[in-house]
Amino acid sequence: MRVQSFLIGGFLGLLQVASCSPTPKSLPQPPTRVERTAPTSTFSNNVIFSPPSNAGWTDPRVLYSRVIELSDGSLIATWENYSPEPPLVYYPIYKSLDGGVTWSEVGKVEDQVNGWGMRYQPFLYELPQAIGNYPAGTILVVGNSIPTDLSQTKIDVYASTDGGENWDFVSSIASGGEARPTNGLTPVWEPFFIVYNNQLICYYADQRDSSYGQKLVHQTTSNLLTWSSTVDDVHDTSNYIARPGMPVLTLLPNGNYIYLYEVCGTDGCRLHYRLTSNPLNLINATAYSLVSTAGTRPVSSPFVVWSSVGGANGSIIVSSGSQSNIFVNKNLGASGYWVEYSVPQPRAYSRTLMTFKEDDNLLAIMGAGFLPPSSVNQVSLSVVDLTALGI
């Protein structure tokens, strides 16, 4: 959850059905893989971007970083960028052709429709299949467009068909009110994408329903242009002040999905999760608290991936905002099997995790520092060998 003008959110507003999209360009088919060797050695806390110390950047300078590997083998990354305004804030797009060792800025996701800027909670996603007229390999960024005075929130989608250099507005998913995590306000927060059953699903946190301080919902699209009405995923009917937020999920080898989120308001933003074979029906899935075998209950800003390393069931790997350690479950999410492992990447608010496609023994962990006050935030990346960790 986002505190004060920046802090951890997950919340509600007015549903806006999207339209108004340019015809997408076609990607080269098939995509050409980047000529690089997947990392054979690990590295720790490699700084990708550090804002100038005297150039008017607003605290926290950078935050909420995301990284993915594209189908061509390159990596792209983005984050919340608190650069001086004007011009409007934007999501920088950085690319690496050598597995995360070196990076260069190749593009920017700029607000093309609201005149507010792209301010909070970017999420990167490469389409694994065509959705509507957008081919497999299209890169999407979904994030929260918010004006400088934080008076409104709007979850907008942008697409790139040239590897992240150029971006076009696609659609709006949801609109809400003031961007502050206060019960009774109506923002929307923290989008996350997956494709399921030939649909793109957007999960997010929603404060627009007056019955709840905050709840988790999703909407779907089959064409990226128009979106369904909202469906509740997590809400607490007995506690208005409960604030489930920051939803993320990943597919497991048994066909289940693990859906991970924080619960603020009533549980100190500790992490909870659900397991289900149907990611469109999370409201009926059993909820579990994430507790490690050492008794740790990780807090805030979760992220989750799965790796085939670790045995017949592979390993579910979780990051939180309260520990540098990662939390690993080799039993398909069964309660009581979460083990902590130390990693070199520093603790940060909303770190992201990524396993490499050609070698998912390698785990990338990216962070961009802390919520304000945090005047020294920078974006950095570590790559760790899961086997070497003992997983």
Side-chain angles (χ1 to χ4, degrees):
M1 178 188 138
R2 185 181 288 265
V3 182
Q4 296 175 357
S5 62
F6 300 103
L7 291 92
I8 317 169
F11 328 148
L12 192 244
L14 276 151
L15 171 66
Q16 180 175 19
V17 174
S19 58
C20 179
S21 169
T23 301
K25 312 180 196 81
S26 294
L27 285 176
Q29 297 294 331
T32 302
R33 286 198 63 80
V34 170
E35 290 298 324
R36 73 164 177 84
T37 302
T40 55
S41 61
T42 60
F43 53 85
S44 300
N45 201 22
N46 179 30
V47 175
I48 296 168
F49 177 73
S50 184
S53 60
N54 59 351
W57 286 65
T58 302
D59 186 11
R61 306 197 320 152
V62 291
L63 200 68
Y64 205 101
S65 57
R66 294 292 180 261
V67 63
I68 60 170
E69 182 181 10
L70 302 179
S71 54
D72 68 2
S74 62
L75 308 184
I76 63 167
T78 193
W79 50 84
E80 295 179 356
N81 214 40
Y82 293 82
S83 52
E85 293 183 274
L88 297 173
V89 292
Y90 61 91
Y91 303 143
I93 301 296
Y94 274 60
K95 179 172 281 191
S96 174
L97 304 180
D98 57 10
V101 178
T102 61
W103 295 80
S104 60
E105 186 173 15
V106 297
K108 297 178 180 180
V109 180
E110 298 174 290
D111 178 8
Q112 298 175 9
V113 293
N114 306 312
W116 302 343
M118 302 305 296
R119 194 168 304 274
Y120 286 175
Q121 301 143 0
F123 182 74
L124 284 163
Y125 191 72
E126 184 182 33
L127 287 180
Q129 65 175 72
I131 297 292
N133 291 325
Y134 289 83
T138 300
I139 308 166
L140 302 178
V141 165
V142 60
N144 216 332
S145 181
I146 299 171
T148 306
D149 65 3
L150 308 183
S151 60
Q152 299 181 71
T153 51
K154 189 161 171 276
I155 296 176
D156 285 348
V157 185
Y158 287 80
S160 173
T161 55
D162 62 4
E165 294 183 19
N166 294 287
W167 296 84
D168 294 313
F169 173 75
V170 176
S171 61
S172 291
I173 302 172
S175 296
E178 185 176 355
R180 302 183 193 278
T182 303
N183 291 340
L185 298 180
T186 58
V188 288
W189 310 92
E190 304 149 352
F192 185 96
F193 277 163
I194 66 163
V195 165
Y196 172 76
N197 235 10
N198 299 314
Q199 303 172 90
L200 181 66
I201 309 173
C202 182
Y203 301 91
Y204 62 96
D206 189 343
Q207 284 188 226
R208 295 170 300 180
D209 186 339
S210 61
S211 298
Y212 308 99
Q214 181 170 289
K215 64 180 181 179
L216 298 178
V217 301
H218 72 260
Q219 293 176 242
T220 62
T221 182
S222 59
N223 59 14
L224 261 175
L225 305 180
T226 58
W227 291 82
S228 71
S229 58
T230 57
V231 175
D232 284 13
D233 294 324
V234 179
H235 59 222
D236 190 331
T237 56
S238 60
N239 290 289
Y240 170 82
I241 65 170
R243 296 179 60 88
M246 307 193 80
V248 292
L249 73 167
T250 198
L251 178 63
L252 305 180
N254 63 348
N256 275 346
Y257 290 81
I258 180 169
Y259 176 88
L260 186 68
Y261 55 99
E262 64 181 20
V263 177
C264 299
T266 54
D267 199 29
C269 295
R270 293 179 178 88
L271 301 194
H272 295 247
Y273 64 98
R274 299 183 180 205
L275 300 167
T276 181
S277 61
N278 183 357
L280 298 173
N281 184 22
L282 289 154
I283 197 73
N284 293 315
T286 301
Y288 303 91
S289 296
L290 200 161
V291 184
S292 79
T293 54
T296 303
R297 294 195 65 194
V299 173
S300 96
S301 56
F303 207 88
V304 62
V305 294
W306 178 84
S307 168
S308 64
V309 172
N313 297 320
S315 297
I316 304 169
I317 305 167
V318 166
S319 172
S320 77
S322 60
Q323 270 83 28
S324 171
N325 288 356
I326 55 174
F327 297 81
V328 176
N329 188 303
K330 301 180 186 179
N331 288 275
L332 300 170
S335 184
Y337 291 92
W338 292 98
V339 179
E340 296 181 52
Y341 292 86
S342 177
V343 294
Q345 182 65 20
R347 178 174 67 90
Y349 170 66
S350 197
R351 293 191 308 186
T352 190
L353 305 175
M354 184 203 78
T355 54
F356 285 83
K357 290 178 169 56
E358 293 187 347
D359 184 2
D360 72 350
N361 183 54
L362 295 171
L363 175 73
I365 312 170
M366 180 179 282
F370 300 95
L371 294 161
S374 41
S375 61
V376 296
N377 279 3
Q378 57 188 7
V379 183
S380 67
L381 175 74
S382 297
V383 174
V384 300
D385 183 323
L386 296 176
T387 302
L389 292 181
I391 295 175

